[in-house]
Amino acid sequence: MTNNEEKFAGGVAVITGAGAGIGSGLARRAGQLGMHVVVTDINSTAAETVAGEIRDAGGKAEAMAVDVSKPSELDRLAEEVFAKHGSVRLLVNNAGIETIGFSWEIPAERWESTLNINLHGVIHGVRAFVPKMLATGEECWVANLASIGAFGMMPTQTAYIVTKHAVESFSECLYLEMQLKKAPIHVSSVIPGMLKTSIFDAEAGAGEPADSVGHRKVMHDMMAAYGMDLAEGCQRIMEKIAANEFWADTQPEMTEQSLAGRIKFFQQQSSPEVAPQARGLLGLD
Ligand SMILES: NC(=O)c1ccc[n+]([C@@H]2O[C@H](COP(=O)([O-])OP(=O)(O)OC[C@H]3O[C@@H](n4cnc5c(N)ncnc54)[C@H](O)[C@@H]3O)[C@@H](O)[C@H]2O)c1
């Protein structure tokens, strides 16, 4: 039995935004490791499809429609899962969207949904589940999706970057709160470098300024060409979560590069600068 299976087999995993992309990859991996997977997504058909794939592969899974931008839906999810299964060993607050455009051109509704899904969805996932996890007294794991963008700057992805910096600091404080509480809950910050998913697909940009289309297409094509295979990335993430590592990244060299840039920025107290690798994308060269 691998370390991952020893930790997770037989437990319940709840994953948000698991109808596609990283959430679906983590759900499949959790199924392979012998977990009962609660596949949740705002898109109920997508969640059903992923749950069906896990069952077809011999695993255990069920689907639930959950919109993480609504705290009451996360409360309902926690109530239903604990009433049915009695415990949750792994919670992954994964659902997230990209938003592209100059800060002042993004409509209020798109700002709201970006903050509500990417940040408040993580906070209220923790608020809804952690008290119930603590009450069981069992060892369990909470993993929140940050990003390599949590350590840098990216003009015209400001709304997204703001949420990822905030999720990273939320997870850091949450980790320390578990220590203060002497709680048997491990916290990981998941930092995908770049995994092949649908996050930059054109239809995901509904409500963005019209000229975001070009930026989305470049990012989409870059992801398709250079992104890591989804299954491989999700396997790496699950290994790090199972090893109780706070930093659950997929491409450590990308994490190190971003952190080095951030550290230099702070140490030199220099003015914000576009990273060299992003200059072409923004038409600066
Ligand atoms: N793909 C990457 O390389 C990458 C890099 C860094 C961080 N991330 C983060 O990983 C997470 C997943 O991204 P992805 O690339 O798999 O995206 P994706 O677009 O492929 O999948 C996101 C899923 O979330 C669901 N979703 C959207 N709004 C929701 C809501 N309100 N409630 C519930 N579900 C909702 C979508 O239906 C979709 O199934 C995000 O938090 C993202 O910021 C991804």
Side-chain angles (χ1 to χ4, degrees):
M1 211 184 231
T2 63
N3 181 39
N4 295 224
E5 284 164 330
E6 269 173 34
K7 297 279 177 77
F8 293 143
V12 172
V14 178
I15 306 176
T16 67
I22 294 174
S24 69
L26 293 175
R28 286 187 207 99
R29 186 67 193 141
Q32 288 164 1
L33 294 172
M35 302 194 86
H36 180 102
V37 192
V38 183
V39 179
T40 79
D41 202 282
I42 193 170
N43 180 338
S44 57
T45 311
E48 288 288 357
T49 302
V50 173
E53 284 169 10
I54 294 169
R55 288 193 298 267
D56 289 348
K60 297 190 192 90
E62 64 191 287
M64 276 181 72
V66 177
D67 177 354
V68 302
S69 72
K70 301 191 173 118
S72 60
E73 295 218 1
L74 289 160
D75 287 328
R76 175 181 58 87
L77 173 65
E79 290 293 337
E80 288 185 18
V81 172
F82 273 87
K84 188 168 173 188
H85 299 286
S87 67
V88 168
R89 198 170 301 169
L90 171 65
L91 168 69
V92 186
N93 290 303
N94 163 77
I97 60 169
E98 256 288 3
T99 289
I100 294 162
F102 285 104
S103 306
W104 58 92
E105 291 178 355
I106 294 166
E109 300 75 35
R110 184 78 192 191
W111 264 109
E112 287 291 310
S113 58
T114 309
L115 293 167
N116 285 339
I117 295 168
N118 293 12
L119 176 57
H120 300 152
V122 175
I123 293 171
H124 292 293
V126 166
R127 186 192 51 73
F129 277 84
V130 164
K132 292 179 166 47
M133 288 171 146
L134 286 171
T136 68
E138 292 173 14
E139 185 178 28
C140 40
W141 285 260
V142 174
N144 300 326
L145 266 286
S147 167
I148 207 88
F151 315 119
M153 312 155 202
M154 186 64 180
T156 76
Q157 282 185 30
T158 311
Y160 178 81
I161 296 286
V162 163
T163 63
K164 294 299 171 180
H165 278 245
V167 167
E168 174 65 21
S169 67
F170 177 75
S171 297
E172 289 168 11
C173 292
L174 183 67
Y175 180 97
L176 294 172
E177 286 178 349
M178 294 306 170
Q179 295 202 327
L180 278 182
K181 196 81 184 162
K182 297 190 172 40
I185 301 182
H186 307 282
V187 176
S188 294
S189 178
V190 181
I191 303 153
M194 191 182 269
L195 302 193
K196 286 190 173 107
T197 71
S198 44
I199 197 163
F200 286 110
D201 285 7
E203 58 274 20
E208 287 174 350
D211 58 5
S212 70
V213 174
H215 185 120
R216 248 181 202 280
K217 175 147 184 10
V218 174
M219 292 300 290
H220 173 274
D221 294 351
M222 198 189 293
M223 184 174 259
Y226 305 112
M228 178 179 264
D229 170 71
L230 185 60
E232 184 186 349
C234 290
Q235 184 164 345
R236 288 187 183 194
I237 292 168
M238 287 295 273
E239 272 163 15
K240 291 186 177 177
I241 295 173
N244 306 342
E245 289 186 24
F246 177 74
W247 299 80
D249 58 0
T250 57
Q251 287 123 305
E253 62 293 346
M254 287 178 75
T255 314
E256 279 161 26
Q257 192 185 22
S258 294
L259 286 172
R262 193 75 180 154
I263 290 164
K264 192 170 152 210
F265 169 67
F266 284 139
Q267 281 176 335
Q268 298 184 348
Q269 296 184 24
S270 50
S271 299
E273 233 176 64
V274 172
Q277 61 272 27
R279 290 183 62 83
L281 166 67
L282 295 164
L284 292 171
D285 286 333

